[in-house]
Amino acid sequence: MVVISLWLLLGNAFAQDTAKKAHVAMRQVAEYGVKGSGTGEFLDPRDVAIDPSGNLLIADTGNHRVVKLNIKGGYLAEVGAFGWDDRQFNEPTGVSTGTGLEIYVSDSQNQRIAVYSQHLKLVALVGGRYVEGALALGRLGGIASTPEGEIYVTDHDLDQVIQVSTFSRTDRTFGGYGYGTCELRGPSALDVDDEGRVYACDTENDRIVVFDRYGNYDREIGKDLLSKPSGVAVSSKRVLFVSDSGAHRLLAFDLVTGEVAGRMGGPKPGSERGRFDTPMGLALSDRDEILVVDSGNHRILKFKLLVLRK
């Protein structure tokens, strides 16, 4: 406990000095799940989110469901089954808790966003393969939401990030197919920082593309270093965590310098402690921890984080 408290004190102190270079250390502290379809089991999971109570929401993609675990990884509830009816999924690939009042799920092959209450009661369906209306979606990837109620989702078919309003319409789109600075190919996960910048995994272009809240190109991160990035989470300490899926590792980028500040795993897949097989979705907690969806190993890993600037 003394060591952890020291970590927190150091992290808070050094986070104020963005002129100094970031250094990130990671230590594995927990592991949840094994391969399967039963309670406590996952099949090719893709994403994870944390609600305000610390509970985990896992997009258990291969089992076509969303599973809710408590802060210690104990099973609480689940929703879903294969299909296209209400409360069913066809490969859910993203989950987000937003303000904490609702849970947003990108139901990929059903081409819709499903909205649930914290008790996993269906609230709304947005879009859909056979639904006519203001919002037409393709196969979906990741999803993110903000405290202001904005929803962002990646569309794999259109190679775009789509911002969805509370009226279930497209407010704006970012990207479009291509190799240029503001274009995307096969975007997957995404995250939004406190200033409204959108960090999108440009998976087929092997980079992270950053847009401002209006969809204007800001910069790219990880070009010539990343391989099929498929998970991203931005920290308030000006550090960006990326699941470098093709290289089976987790990277931390200093958003001030653009340099790699820490790494774990790779270059080959593995199941030993501190190793990954195709890591994907990420979620940061307010306890200086990061959750990693270790998709190829059908499990969720938790790491304690230490971020210093010196």
Side-chain angles (χ1 to χ4, degrees):
M1 296 298 296
V2 174
V3 174
I4 292 175
S5 298
L6 179 61
W7 283 16
L8 291 171
L9 288 171
L10 289 171
N12 289 333
F14 281 92
Q16 304 301 317
D17 188 0
T18 57
K20 296 181 179 180
K21 186 176 180 179
H23 300 267
V24 179
M26 297 172 256
R27 176 168 57 89
Q28 185 176 326
V29 294
E31 174 182 335
Y32 312 130
V34 295
K35 184 178 182 179
S37 301
T39 301
E41 298 176 334
F42 304 111
L43 186 62
D44 301 320
R46 297 285 183 89
D47 200 13
V48 61
I50 304 173
D51 73 12
S53 300
N55 300 314
L56 315 184
L57 285 304
I58 294 104
D60 188 11
T61 307
N63 286 319
H64 308 284
R65 64 185 178 183
V66 171
V67 178
K68 187 174 186 178
L69 307 180
N70 65 25
I71 195 169
K72 296 182 178 179
Y75 176 86
L76 292 176
E78 65 182 76
V79 62
F82 175 72
W84 53 84
D85 292 336
D86 293 356
R87 296 177 60 82
Q88 293 182 327
F89 299 113
N90 186 351
E91 297 187 6
T93 51
V95 59
S96 175
T97 54
T99 61
L101 299 177
E102 295 177 327
I103 299 165
Y104 302 96
V105 182
S106 52
D107 187 7
S108 178
Q109 300 296 328
N110 283 329
Q111 301 172 204
R112 65 189 182 187
I113 298 166
V115 185
Y116 286 86
S117 73
Q118 284 297 315
H119 301 290
L120 299 184
K121 302 296 184 183
L122 183 65
V123 175
L125 294 172
V126 180
R129 184 180 299 181
Y130 304 111
V131 176
E132 295 182 0
L135 184 63
L137 300 172
R139 291 174 298 152
L140 302 181
I143 193 167
S145 50
T146 69
E148 293 74 32
E150 299 170 318
I151 305 170
Y152 298 86
V153 63
T154 57
D155 190 316
H156 190 82
D157 288 340
L158 298 177
D159 299 289
Q160 289 181 336
V161 174
I162 299 174
Q163 181 184 342
V164 182
S165 76
T166 54
F167 300 101
S168 300
R169 66 171 184 245
T170 301
D171 272 3
R172 57 179 58 90
T173 61
F174 313 165
Y177 180 84
Y179 302 81
T181 55
C182 59
E183 296 173 324
L184 304 170
R185 290 195 306 134
S188 54
L190 74 167
D191 198 12
V192 184
D193 70 15
D194 293 338
E195 297 178 10
R197 284 183 290 262
V198 178
Y199 299 76
C201 287
D202 187 9
T203 304
E204 297 301 322
N205 282 327
D206 300 315
R207 63 183 179 179
I208 305 298
V209 178
V210 186
F211 300 93
D212 69 17
R213 65 170 65 246
Y214 305 106
N216 301 307
Y217 173 82
D218 183 290
R219 57 175 153 160
E220 65 179 14
I221 297 170
K223 185 68 173 177
D224 300 322
L225 179 63
L226 295 172
S227 175
K228 302 292 186 288
S230 301
V232 64
V234 59
S235 164
S236 60
K237 297 179 180 179
R238 302 286 288 156
V239 173
L240 184 73
F241 294 89
V242 179
S243 289
D244 192 18
S245 304
H248 310 284
R249 62 184 179 176
L250 177 63
L251 294 180
F253 289 90
D254 184 347
L255 288 174
V256 177
T257 66
E259 299 176 357
V260 174
R263 66 185 73 212
M264 176 74 71
K268 296 182 179 181
S271 58
E272 303 86 356
R273 191 174 184 85
R275 300 288 299 280
F276 309 103
D277 183 349
T278 319
M280 302 194 83
L282 302 174
L284 288 163
S285 78
D286 57 7
R287 299 158 60 94
D288 285 325
E289 296 169 337
I290 189 168
L291 291 162
V292 183
V293 176
D294 189 12
S295 185
N297 285 319
H298 314 282
R299 64 187 181 181
I300 311 299
L301 301 178
K302 180 191 287 186
F303 293 86
K304 190 70 179 177
L305 295 175
L306 171 62
V307 180
L308 299 177
R309 287 193 178 272
K310 60 181 182 179

